[in-house]
Amino acid sequence: AQRVTQPEKLLSVFKGAPVELKCNYSYSGSPELFWYVQYSRQRLQLLLRHISRESIKGFTADLNKGETSFHLKKPFAQEEDSAMYYCALRRQGGSEKLVFGKGTKLTVNP
Amino acid sequence: ETGVTQSPTHLIKTRGQQVTLRCSSQSGHNTVSWYQQALGQGPQFIFQYYREEENGRGNFPPRFSGLQFPNYSSELNVNALELDDSALYLCASSPRLAIVHNEQFFGPGTRLTVL
C-alpha cells in the first residue's frame, strides 16, 4: 500500500532555529518524493522534489531509502516559512496520482 | 501564461443533490487531476484525465465522475451528495503525460459544503 506519514501535525520554532519536518513513506517500488507548501491564502505549490536534489528557499530534503524517509530541513528558519507543508509521493516516472500526507503546520515565531 | 483556475470558489448544497465543479488547466497543459481535501487531511486523488479520457482513478465511488473537454478544461460531477463530501476540491494540471518528472500545478480549489 502507498502511504505517506507526517507524524507532526503542528511544529513551532523560533526564527533562526533549525527546523525539520518529518516524512516517512510506505511504497513497494521506486517512488518519487515531493514536498508541497501552502502559504496562507495561497494555492498549493511544489517546494522541492528528491529527483532534483536542489535547495529551494534554504530547504533541503534527502531521500533515505533504508529508513523510507524524506525529511525536510532548513538550518535557519524565517518567519516567512510559516505555512502548511505536505509530503507526497508517486510512482517514479509516472504522471498519475500523488499520494499526500496529512500535512504539518509550521509556525516560525519572531 | 494563465494558471489553473477553478469555479465556483464556494458553494453550499444539501444531501442528495448533484454538483458540478469546473477547472481550466494552465496554458499548454493537457492533463488534469482532481483531488479531495477534507478538513485536516492531505489532498486525496479522485481521478485524472488525459486528452479527454480517464487515466487513473482513486478510491472514490462511481457517483464521482468527470469530463475533460477538447480545450483540456475539466469538470468534476458528484451525484447524490453526502455530508462527508464536504471538502475542498482541488484541480491540478500538468503538461504532456509522457514527460517524466511532470509537475502538477494546483488551482485555488472549490470549497463544497453539504448540509
Side-chain angles (χ1 to χ4, degrees), chain A residues 30-79:
Chain A
S30 295
E32 190 174 357
L33 273 295
F34 304 83
W35 277 98
Y36 278 81
V37 61
Q38 188 167 28
Y39 301 102
S40 179
R41 288 186 289 279
Q42 293 188 28
R43 61 187 66 191
L44 197 61
Q45 59 186 284
L46 179 66
L47 178 63
L48 54 80
R49 62 207 319 174
H50 91 271
I51 293 283
S52 303
R53 304 181 71 84
E54 58 193 346
S55 173
I56 303 292
K57 299 184 178 183
F59 284 98
T60 58
D62 290 318
L63 179 61
N64 186 322
K65 292 185 179 179
E67 295 182 0
T68 59
S69 67
F70 188 57
H71 303 327
L72 182 68
K73 300 177 185 178
K74 184 168 183 176
F76 307 105
Q78 302 300 313
E79 288 180 69

Short mmCIF file of all heavy atoms in Angstrom, two decimals, chain A residues 30-79:
data_model
loop_
_atom_site.label_atom_id
_atom_site.label_comp_id
_atom_site.label_asym_id
_atom_site.label_seq_id
_atom_site.Cartn_x
_atom_site.Cartn_y
_atom_site.Cartn_z
N SER A 30 9.90 2.01 -6.62
CA SER A 30 10.73 3.22 -6.55
C SER A 30 9.85 4.45 -6.66
O SER A 30 9.39 4.78 -7.75
CB SER A 30 11.77 3.23 -7.67
OG SER A 30 12.69 2.18 -7.51
N PRO A 31 9.61 5.11 -5.54
CA PRO A 31 8.75 6.30 -5.61
C PRO A 31 9.54 7.57 -5.92
O PRO A 31 10.76 7.61 -5.76
CB PRO A 31 8.18 6.37 -4.20
CG PRO A 31 9.29 5.87 -3.33
CD PRO A 31 10.00 4.81 -4.16
N GLU A 32 8.80 8.54 -6.34
CA GLU A 32 9.34 9.89 -6.46
C GLU A 32 8.73 10.69 -5.31
O GLU A 32 7.52 10.64 -5.09
CB GLU A 32 8.95 10.50 -7.81
CG GLU A 32 9.67 11.79 -8.11
CD GLU A 32 9.38 12.32 -9.51
OE1 GLU A 32 8.65 11.64 -10.28
OE2 GLU A 32 9.86 13.42 -9.83
N LEU A 33 9.57 11.39 -4.55
CA LEU A 33 9.10 12.10 -3.37
C LEU A 33 9.12 13.60 -3.59
O LEU A 33 10.00 14.14 -4.27
CB LEU A 33 9.99 11.75 -2.16
CG LEU A 33 9.66 10.50 -1.32
CD1 LEU A 33 8.30 10.68 -0.62
CD2 LEU A 33 9.68 9.26 -2.15
N PHE A 34 8.13 14.26 -2.99
CA PHE A 34 7.95 15.70 -3.14
C PHE A 34 7.63 16.34 -1.78
O PHE A 34 7.08 15.69 -0.89
CB PHE A 34 6.75 16.02 -4.05
CG PHE A 34 6.81 15.40 -5.41
CD1 PHE A 34 6.39 14.10 -5.62
CD2 PHE A 34 7.26 16.13 -6.50
CE1 PHE A 34 6.42 13.52 -6.87
CE2 PHE A 34 7.29 15.57 -7.76
CZ PHE A 34 6.87 14.27 -7.95
N TRP A 35 7.94 17.61 -1.69
CA TRP A 35 7.39 18.45 -0.64
C TRP A 35 6.60 19.58 -1.32
O TRP A 35 7.12 20.26 -2.20
CB TRP A 35 8.47 19.06 0.24
CG TRP A 35 8.92 18.13 1.32
CD1 TRP A 35 10.02 17.33 1.33
CD2 TRP A 35 8.27 17.91 2.59
NE1 TRP A 35 10.10 16.61 2.50
CE2 TRP A 35 9.03 16.95 3.29
CE3 TRP A 35 7.12 18.43 3.19
CZ2 TRP A 35 8.69 16.50 4.56
CZ3 TRP A 35 6.78 17.98 4.46
CH2 TRP A 35 7.56 17.03 5.13
N TYR A 36 5.34 19.72 -0.90
CA TYR A 36 4.49 20.82 -1.34
C TYR A 36 4.28 21.76 -0.16
O TYR A 36 4.28 21.34 1.00
CB TYR A 36 3.13 20.31 -1.82
CG TYR A 36 3.15 19.80 -3.24
CD1 TYR A 36 3.60 18.52 -3.53
CD2 TYR A 36 2.71 20.60 -4.30
CE1 TYR A 36 3.63 18.05 -4.84
CE2 TYR A 36 2.73 20.12 -5.61
CZ TYR A 36 3.20 18.86 -5.85
OH TYR A 36 3.22 18.39 -7.15
N VAL A 37 4.07 23.04 -0.47
CA VAL A 37 3.85 24.03 0.58
C VAL A 37 2.62 24.86 0.23
O VAL A 37 2.34 25.11 -0.95
CB VAL A 37 5.10 24.93 0.76
CG1 VAL A 37 5.43 25.70 -0.52
CG2 VAL A 37 4.93 25.89 1.92
N GLN A 38 1.91 25.24 1.26
CA GLN A 38 0.76 26.13 1.07
C GLN A 38 0.86 27.27 2.06
O GLN A 38 0.66 27.06 3.28
CB GLN A 38 -0.55 25.39 1.25
CG GLN A 38 -1.77 26.21 0.88
CD GLN A 38 -3.02 25.36 0.76
OE1 GLN A 38 -3.14 24.32 1.39
NE2 GLN A 38 -3.95 25.80 -0.07
N TYR A 39 1.21 28.45 1.57
CA TYR A 39 1.24 29.65 2.41
C TYR A 39 -0.18 30.15 2.60
O TYR A 39 -1.08 29.82 1.83
CB TYR A 39 2.12 30.72 1.77
CG TYR A 39 3.55 30.27 1.55
CD1 TYR A 39 4.00 29.89 0.28
CD2 TYR A 39 4.45 30.21 2.60
CE1 TYR A 39 5.31 29.47 0.08
CE2 TYR A 39 5.76 29.78 2.41
CZ TYR A 39 6.17 29.41 1.15
OH TYR A 39 7.47 28.97 0.95
N SER A 40 -0.36 30.97 3.63
CA SER A 40 -1.69 31.47 3.97
C SER A 40 -2.34 32.14 2.77
O SER A 40 -1.73 33.00 2.12
CB SER A 40 -1.57 32.45 5.13
OG SER A 40 -2.83 32.96 5.46
N ARG A 41 -3.55 31.71 2.46
CA ARG A 41 -4.37 32.29 1.37
C ARG A 41 -3.72 32.12 0.00
O ARG A 41 -4.01 32.89 -0.92
CB ARG A 41 -4.69 33.75 1.65
CG ARG A 41 -5.71 33.93 2.77
CD ARG A 41 -6.10 35.39 2.91
NE ARG A 41 -5.03 36.21 3.47
CZ ARG A 41 -4.77 36.27 4.76
NH1 ARG A 41 -5.48 35.60 5.63
NH2 ARG A 41 -3.79 37.04 5.20
N GLN A 42 -2.85 31.14 -0.14
CA GLN A 42 -2.27 30.85 -1.44
C GLN A 42 -2.55 29.39 -1.81
O GLN A 42 -2.96 28.60 -0.98
CB GLN A 42 -0.76 31.11 -1.43
CG GLN A 42 -0.39 32.57 -1.28
CD GLN A 42 1.09 32.82 -1.47
OE1 GLN A 42 1.78 32.08 -2.20
NE2 GLN A 42 1.60 33.85 -0.83
N ARG A 43 -2.33 29.06 -3.06
CA ARG A 43 -2.58 27.70 -3.51
C ARG A 43 -1.40 26.79 -3.19
O ARG A 43 -0.30 27.24 -2.92
CB ARG A 43 -2.91 27.68 -5.00
CG ARG A 43 -1.80 28.20 -5.89
CD ARG A 43 -2.27 28.30 -7.33
NE ARG A 43 -3.30 29.31 -7.52
CZ ARG A 43 -4.02 29.45 -8.63
NH1 ARG A 43 -3.81 28.63 -9.66
NH2 ARG A 43 -4.93 30.38 -8.73
N LEU A 44 -1.68 25.52 -3.22
CA LEU A 44 -0.65 24.50 -3.01
C LEU A 44 0.39 24.59 -4.13
O LEU A 44 0.04 24.69 -5.31
CB LEU A 44 -1.33 23.12 -3.04
CG LEU A 44 -0.60 21.92 -2.48
CD1 LEU A 44 -0.30 22.10 -1.01
CD2 LEU A 44 -1.46 20.68 -2.70
N GLN A 45 1.66 24.57 -3.75
CA GLN A 45 2.71 24.67 -4.77
C GLN A 45 3.87 23.76 -4.41
O GLN A 45 4.13 23.48 -3.25
CB GLN A 45 3.19 26.12 -4.90
CG GLN A 45 3.76 26.73 -3.63
CD GLN A 45 4.08 28.20 -3.80
OE1 GLN A 45 5.09 28.54 -4.41
NE2 GLN A 45 3.26 29.06 -3.26
N LEU A 46 4.56 23.32 -5.45
CA LEU A 46 5.70 22.44 -5.26
C LEU A 46 6.85 23.22 -4.63
O LEU A 46 7.21 24.30 -5.10
CB LEU A 46 6.12 21.86 -6.62
CG LEU A 46 7.32 20.92 -6.60
CD1 LEU A 46 7.01 19.65 -5.82
CD2 LEU A 46 7.75 20.57 -8.03
N LEU A 47 7.44 22.65 -3.58
CA LEU A 47 8.62 23.24 -2.96
C LEU A 47 9.87 22.57 -3.52
O LEU A 47 10.75 23.23 -4.07
CB LEU A 47 8.55 23.10 -1.44
CG LEU A 47 9.74 23.65 -0.66
CD1 LEU A 47 9.87 25.15 -0.85
CD2 LEU A 47 9.61 23.32 0.83
N LEU A 48 9.94 21.26 -3.39
CA LEU A 48 11.07 20.56 -3.98
C LEU A 48 10.75 19.08 -4.17
O LEU A 48 9.77 18.57 -3.63
CB LEU A 48 12.36 20.75 -3.16
CG LEU A 48 12.37 20.41 -1.69
CD1 LEU A 48 12.51 18.93 -1.44
CD2 LEU A 48 13.56 21.11 -0.99
N ARG A 49 11.61 18.43 -4.97
CA ARG A 49 11.42 17.02 -5.28
C ARG A 49 12.77 16.34 -5.15
O ARG A 49 13.81 16.94 -5.38
CB ARG A 49 10.89 16.86 -6.71
CG ARG A 49 11.85 17.40 -7.75
CD ARG A 49 11.21 17.85 -9.02
NE ARG A 49 10.16 17.02 -9.53
CZ ARG A 49 9.41 17.37 -10.59
NH1 ARG A 49 9.63 18.50 -11.23
NH2 ARG A 49 8.45 16.58 -11.00
N HIS A 50 12.78 15.06 -4.78
CA HIS A 50 14.04 14.40 -4.48
C HIS A 50 14.88 14.21 -5.73
O HIS A 50 16.11 14.22 -5.66
CB HIS A 50 13.80 13.06 -3.76
CG HIS A 50 13.67 11.88 -4.67
ND1 HIS A 50 12.47 11.47 -5.19
CD2 HIS A 50 14.60 11.02 -5.14
CE1 HIS A 50 12.66 10.41 -5.94
NE2 HIS A 50 13.93 10.10 -5.93
N ILE A 51 14.22 14.10 -6.87
CA ILE A 51 14.95 13.89 -8.12
C ILE A 51 15.91 15.05 -8.40
O ILE A 51 17.02 14.87 -8.90
CB ILE A 51 13.95 13.74 -9.28
CG1 ILE A 51 13.14 12.46 -9.12
CG2 ILE A 51 14.66 13.80 -10.62
CD1 ILE A 51 13.89 11.20 -9.50
N SER A 52 15.47 16.27 -8.06
CA SER A 52 16.24 17.45 -8.41
C SER A 52 17.45 17.66 -7.51
O SER A 52 18.42 18.31 -7.91
CB SER A 52 15.36 18.69 -8.33
OG SER A 52 14.25 18.55 -9.15
N ARG A 53 17.35 17.14 -6.27
CA ARG A 53 18.45 17.28 -5.32
C ARG A 53 18.90 18.73 -5.19
O ARG A 53 20.09 19.04 -5.20
CB ARG A 53 19.63 16.40 -5.72
CG ARG A 53 19.28 14.93 -5.89
CD ARG A 53 20.50 14.12 -6.25
NE ARG A 53 21.42 13.99 -5.12
CZ ARG A 53 21.30 13.08 -4.16
NH1 ARG A 53 20.30 12.23 -4.17
NH2 ARG A 53 22.20 13.02 -3.18
N GLU A 54 17.95 19.64 -5.12
CA GLU A 54 18.28 21.06 -5.03
C GLU A 54 17.79 21.64 -3.72
O GLU A 54 17.05 21.02 -2.99
CB GLU A 54 17.63 21.81 -6.20
CG GLU A 54 16.13 21.66 -6.26
CD GLU A 54 15.55 22.14 -7.58
OE1 GLU A 54 16.23 22.83 -8.35
OE2 GLU A 54 14.38 21.82 -7.85
N SER A 55 18.25 22.85 -3.44
CA SER A 55 17.81 23.57 -2.26
C SER A 55 16.91 24.71 -2.72
O SER A 55 17.29 25.49 -3.60
CB SER A 55 19.02 24.12 -1.50
OG SER A 55 18.60 24.95 -0.44
N ILE A 56 15.72 24.77 -2.15
CA ILE A 56 14.77 25.82 -2.50
C ILE A 56 14.45 26.61 -1.25
O ILE A 56 14.07 26.02 -0.23
CB ILE A 56 13.47 25.23 -3.08
CG1 ILE A 56 13.75 24.37 -4.30
CG2 ILE A 56 12.49 26.35 -3.42
CD1 ILE A 56 14.24 25.12 -5.51
N LYS A 57 14.64 27.93 -1.29
CA LYS A 57 14.36 28.80 -0.14
C LYS A 57 15.12 28.31 1.10
O LYS A 57 14.62 28.44 2.23
CB LYS A 57 12.86 28.88 0.14
CG LYS A 57 12.06 29.46 -1.00
CD LYS A 57 10.60 29.62 -0.66
CE LYS A 57 9.86 30.25 -1.83
NZ LYS A 57 8.44 30.49 -1.55
N GLY A 58 16.27 27.70 0.90
CA GLY A 58 17.08 27.23 2.01
C GLY A 58 16.70 25.86 2.52
O GLY A 58 17.36 25.32 3.42
N PHE A 59 15.63 25.27 1.96
CA PHE A 59 15.18 23.95 2.37
C PHE A 59 15.87 22.86 1.55
O PHE A 59 16.09 23.03 0.35
CB PHE A 59 13.66 23.79 2.17
CG PHE A 59 12.82 24.48 3.18
CD1 PHE A 59 12.28 25.73 2.93
CD2 PHE A 59 12.55 23.88 4.41
CE1 PHE A 59 11.49 26.37 3.86
CE2 PHE A 59 11.75 24.50 5.36
CZ PHE A 59 11.22 25.76 5.09
N THR A 60 16.17 21.76 2.20
CA THR A 60 16.69 20.58 1.52
C THR A 60 15.94 19.35 2.06
O THR A 60 15.37 19.39 3.15
CB THR A 60 18.20 20.37 1.76
OG1 THR A 60 18.43 20.28 3.18
CG2 THR A 60 19.02 21.51 1.18
N ALA A 61 15.97 18.30 1.28
CA ALA A 61 15.37 17.04 1.71
C ALA A 61 16.14 15.91 1.05
O ALA A 61 16.38 15.95 -0.16
CB ALA A 61 13.89 16.98 1.34
N ASP A 62 16.52 14.95 1.84
CA ASP A 62 17.25 13.80 1.31
C ASP A 62 16.41 12.55 1.44
O ASP A 62 15.83 12.27 2.49
CB ASP A 62 18.57 13.60 2.09
CG ASP A 62 19.56 14.71 1.79
OD1 ASP A 62 19.66 15.08 0.60
OD2 ASP A 62 20.20 15.20 2.72
N LEU A 63 16.37 11.80 0.36
CA LEU A 63 15.63 10.55 0.36
C LEU A 63 16.49 9.47 1.01
O LEU A 63 17.60 9.21 0.55
CB LEU A 63 15.27 10.15 -1.06
CG LEU A 63 14.50 8.84 -1.24
CD1 LEU A 63 13.17 8.90 -0.51
CD2 LEU A 63 14.29 8.54 -2.72
N ASN A 64 16.00 8.87 2.07
CA ASN A 64 16.69 7.78 2.75
C ASN A 64 15.88 6.51 2.53
O ASN A 64 14.87 6.28 3.21
CB ASN A 64 16.82 8.09 4.25
CG ASN A 64 17.65 7.06 4.98
OD1 ASN A 64 17.56 5.87 4.69
ND2 ASN A 64 18.43 7.51 5.93
N LYS A 65 16.31 5.71 1.56
CA LYS A 65 15.53 4.53 1.20
C LYS A 65 15.55 3.48 2.30
O LYS A 65 14.59 2.74 2.49
CB LYS A 65 16.05 3.94 -0.11
CG LYS A 65 15.79 4.85 -1.31
CD LYS A 65 16.21 4.19 -2.60
CE LYS A 65 15.91 5.12 -3.78
NZ LYS A 65 16.32 4.53 -5.07
N GLY A 66 16.65 3.42 3.06
CA GLY A 66 16.72 2.44 4.14
C GLY A 66 15.70 2.73 5.23
O GLY A 66 15.07 1.81 5.75
N GLU A 67 15.56 4.00 5.56
CA GLU A 67 14.60 4.38 6.59
C GLU A 67 13.26 4.80 5.99
O GLU A 67 12.37 5.21 6.73
CB GLU A 67 15.17 5.54 7.42
CG GLU A 67 16.42 5.16 8.21
CD GLU A 67 16.95 6.29 9.08
OE1 GLU A 67 16.36 7.38 9.07
OE2 GLU A 67 17.97 6.08 9.76
N THR A 68 13.14 4.72 4.69
CA THR A 68 11.93 5.19 3.96
C THR A 68 11.48 6.54 4.49
O THR A 68 10.33 6.72 4.93
CB THR A 68 10.78 4.15 4.00
OG1 THR A 68 10.42 3.89 5.37
CG2 THR A 68 11.16 2.87 3.33
N SER A 69 12.41 7.49 4.47
CA SER A 69 12.10 8.83 4.96
C SER A 69 12.52 9.88 3.94
O SER A 69 13.38 9.64 3.09
CB SER A 69 12.79 9.10 6.29
OG SER A 69 14.20 9.16 6.11
N PHE A 70 11.90 11.04 4.06
CA PHE A 70 12.20 12.17 3.18
C PHE A 70 11.96 13.44 4.00
O PHE A 70 11.06 14.22 3.73
CB PHE A 70 11.31 12.11 1.94
CG PHE A 70 11.65 13.12 0.87
CD1 PHE A 70 12.92 13.18 0.31
CD2 PHE A 70 10.68 14.00 0.40
CE1 PHE A 70 13.22 14.10 -0.68
CE2 PHE A 70 10.97 14.92 -0.61
CZ PHE A 70 12.25 14.97 -1.14
N HIS A 71 12.77 13.62 5.01
CA HIS A 71 12.57 14.74 5.93
C HIS A 71 13.01 16.05 5.29
O HIS A 71 14.04 16.13 4.63
CB HIS A 71 13.34 14.51 7.22
CG HIS A 71 13.01 13.23 7.93
ND1 HIS A 71 11.74 12.68 7.91
CD2 HIS A 71 13.77 12.40 8.71
CE1 HIS A 71 11.73 11.58 8.62
NE2 HIS A 71 12.95 11.38 9.10
N LEU A 72 12.28 17.12 5.59
CA LEU A 72 12.56 18.46 5.06
C LEU A 72 13.31 19.25 6.13
O LEU A 72 12.86 19.29 7.28
CB LEU A 72 11.25 19.16 4.70
CG LEU A 72 11.34 20.54 4.08
CD1 LEU A 72 11.96 20.45 2.68
CD2 LEU A 72 9.96 21.18 4.00
N LYS A 73 14.40 19.88 5.73
CA LYS A 73 15.24 20.57 6.72
C LYS A 73 15.61 21.97 6.26
O LYS A 73 15.75 22.22 5.05
CB LYS A 73 16.53 19.78 6.95
CG LYS A 73 16.33 18.38 7.47
CD LYS A 73 17.65 17.64 7.60
CE LYS A 73 17.44 16.20 8.01
NZ LYS A 73 18.70 15.44 8.10
N LYS A 74 15.78 22.84 7.25
CA LYS A 74 16.29 24.17 6.97
C LYS A 74 17.10 24.59 8.20
O LYS A 74 16.62 24.47 9.33
CB LYS A 74 15.16 25.17 6.72
CG LYS A 74 15.66 26.55 6.32
CD LYS A 74 14.54 27.44 5.80
CE LYS A 74 15.10 28.78 5.36
NZ LYS A 74 14.06 29.65 4.76
N PRO A 75 18.33 25.05 7.99
CA PRO A 75 19.18 25.33 9.15
C PRO A 75 18.74 26.54 9.96
O PRO A 75 18.93 26.56 11.19
CB PRO A 75 20.57 25.54 8.53
CG PRO A 75 20.33 25.84 7.10
CD PRO A 75 19.05 25.18 6.72
N PHE A 76 18.17 27.54 9.28
CA PHE A 76 17.78 28.78 9.99
C PHE A 76 16.38 29.20 9.52
O PHE A 76 16.24 29.76 8.44
CB PHE A 76 18.79 29.89 9.72
CG PHE A 76 20.22 29.51 10.01
CD1 PHE A 76 21.09 29.23 8.97
CD2 PHE A 76 20.69 29.42 11.31
CE1 PHE A 76 22.41 28.86 9.23
CE2 PHE A 76 22.00 29.06 11.58
CZ PHE A 76 22.87 28.78 10.53
N ALA A 77 15.38 28.91 10.32
CA ALA A 77 14.01 29.20 9.91
C ALA A 77 13.74 30.71 9.88
O ALA A 77 14.28 31.47 10.70
CB ALA A 77 13.03 28.53 10.87
N GLN A 78 12.91 31.12 8.94
CA GLN A 78 12.47 32.52 8.81
C GLN A 78 10.96 32.60 9.03
O GLN A 78 10.25 31.61 8.80
CB GLN A 78 12.82 33.05 7.42
CG GLN A 78 14.30 32.97 7.08
CD GLN A 78 15.17 33.76 8.04
OE1 GLN A 78 14.85 34.91 8.36
NE2 GLN A 78 16.25 33.17 8.51
N GLU A 79 10.49 33.77 9.45
CA GLU A 79 9.06 33.94 9.71
C GLU A 79 8.23 33.62 8.47
O GLU A 79 7.14 33.07 8.58
CB GLU A 79 8.77 35.35 10.21
CG GLU A 79 9.25 35.60 11.62
CD GLU A 79 8.94 37.01 12.09
OE1 GLU A 79 7.75 37.32 12.28
OE2 GLU A 79 9.88 37.79 12.25
#
